[in-house]
Amino acid sequence: MSAVPRLRLNLRRRRAGRLSAPALLLAGALLAGTTILPRDSATAQPRGGAAVPPRVAFQCPTPSRPIRFDQLLPRVAARLREGRPLTIVTMGSSSTAGAGASSIQTTYPARLGIELLQRYPGRVIKVINSGTNGEEVDAMLKRFQREVFAYEPDLVIWQIGTNGLLRNVEAQRFEAGVRSGIARIRSADTDVMLMDLQFVPRVEEAPGKQAMLAHIEALAREHGIALFPRHAVMRAWAQALGDDYAQMVSPDRLHLNDFSYHCLAAALANAIAAAVGPPGPTAQTPATAAATSETR
């Protein structure tokens, strides 16, 4: 299919629910035993629109171009190659928290831990979901100390831009906030990766979309850090799936769902693995998976 399908999806709007504090995934090697325990199990379920199971069976679309993080994730590479534990913090707003997913287990951070374990069996990989619905960069920065640095991460994946776009945040303010956050993360000797916008109707309808994508790309290039091009990846899915792409968008026309969060995590894990390379000879022996939750 040569043209991108227009995203006029007949999906009912729903208002995203609010997630509680970040959930913590500690993934060991036995995937069958991997679970995620939210800090507050009564309120931590994403409710931004029910997951939409695909009507037809198809695998996650393959990106048309490989995503390259070469030499941009040195700490992650060292940890995985040497068989040492790896801690990742995912910071962002509702599409990190998991609005649109049917459970904590089907958010992209939870799936990312499992996807990485499939590529690096025997490792101890911890993925912390520090996403909070509705936040812009300024609000995220206020949470950095307790919900990023407190976990001493090896990698921070920072999803940005969507709420700033939809709320017309001034470009100078947005860029200043992101620069501040990048500097703080790097000062902690931590790898950092930016994640840009999602390819969904409400983002595509926003007049400043292209400018926001350009701002995020320029910030990643300016600081020499990794950028996961979520918008381009999802746009390629739309090209590949045609009308079936509607099944990868939540009814609110903004968020993802179980299927697209799964595919997003798989694409991200593939990109990380391509940058890091295969497991080294010092890989740990498989250990029982464990999960924990934390309450502040």
Side-chain angles (χ1 to χ4, degrees):
M1 186 172 183
S2 58
V4 179
R6 299 183 68 182
L7 295 185
R8 293 184 177 179
L9 310 180
N10 185 20
L11 301 175
R12 185 160 59 89
R13 294 176 182 266
R14 290 188 185 176
R15 186 174 181 178
R18 179 173 178 79
L19 288 177
S20 66
L24 174 65
L25 168 67
L26 174 58
L30 300 181
L31 299 182
T34 301
T35 57
I36 303 168
L37 301 179
R39 290 181 178 174
D40 181 354
S41 59
T43 60
Q45 299 301 313
R47 294 184 292 273
V52 182
R55 294 189 304 268
V56 295
F58 51 77
Q59 295 181 332
C60 296
T62 303
S64 57
R65 294 186 302 173
I67 302 167
R68 310 290 301 195
F69 297 147
D70 293 352
Q71 301 180 353
L72 297 179
L73 302 176
R75 188 176 178 90
V76 173
R79 306 291 287 189
L80 288 176
R81 287 172 182 162
E82 297 167 13
R84 290 185 287 169
L86 175 69
T87 299
I88 299 172
V89 169
T90 59
M91 169 57 71
S93 55
S94 54
S95 62
T96 293
S102 62
S103 71
I104 291 293
Q105 286 86 347
T106 57
T107 62
Y108 107 72
R111 291 299 314 173
L112 176 61
I114 293 173
E115 293 288 336
L116 286 172
L117 281 172
Q118 292 173 346
R119 292 154 180 79
Y120 295 92
R123 300 299 199 267
V124 175
I125 296 174
K126 185 163 53 176
V127 178
I128 297 119
N129 186 341
S130 289
T132 296
N133 287 5
E135 283 195 342
E136 298 169 22
V137 167
D138 291 350
M140 295 180 207
L141 291 172
K142 295 176 182 178
R143 296 191 292 118
F144 265 34
Q145 189 57 49
R146 71 178 185 275
E147 296 186 12
V148 175
F149 300 126
Y151 295 107
E152 299 182 350
D154 303 296
L155 169 64
V156 175
I157 302 174
W158 194 10
Q159 169 257 311
I160 55 174
T162 299
N163 287 329
L165 168 68
L166 297 179
R167 295 168 186 167
N168 297 312
V169 172
E170 183 184 29
Q172 186 175 4
R173 173 184 155 196
F174 172 80
E175 291 180 348
V178 176
R179 287 191 178 98
S180 173
I182 292 171
R184 290 173 63 186
I185 296 168
R186 297 184 84 174
S187 70
D189 193 27
T190 300
D191 292 342
V192 56
M193 177 191 304
L194 301 182
M195 178 183 290
D196 65 14
L197 313 175
Q198 61 264 52
F199 184 74
V200 292
R202 286 178 60 187
V203 168
E204 295 308 294
E205 293 162 1
K209 176 201 68 177
Q210 287 302 137
M212 179 61 78
L213 288 169
H215 289 317
I216 297 171
E217 182 179 4
L219 286 163
R221 190 184 310 112
E222 172 187 333
H223 293 277
I225 61 175
L227 169 64
F228 182 77
R230 179 171 57 158
H231 186 269
V233 168
M234 294 181 68
R235 188 173 184 269
W237 296 349
Q239 290 176 316
L241 297 177
D243 291 343
D244 283 327
Y245 183 68
Q247 298 174 75
M248 301 186 80
V249 180
S250 182
D252 65 4
R253 304 173 68 247
L254 177 61
H255 296 102
L256 285 67
N257 57 26
D258 288 0
F259 188 62
S260 45
Y261 281 131
H262 168 79
C263 291
L264 184 71
L268 182 51
N270 283 338
I272 292 173
V276 171
T282 57
Q284 300 172 3
T285 56
T288 302
T292 186
S293 61
E294 298 191 0
T295 303
R296 294 190 180 278

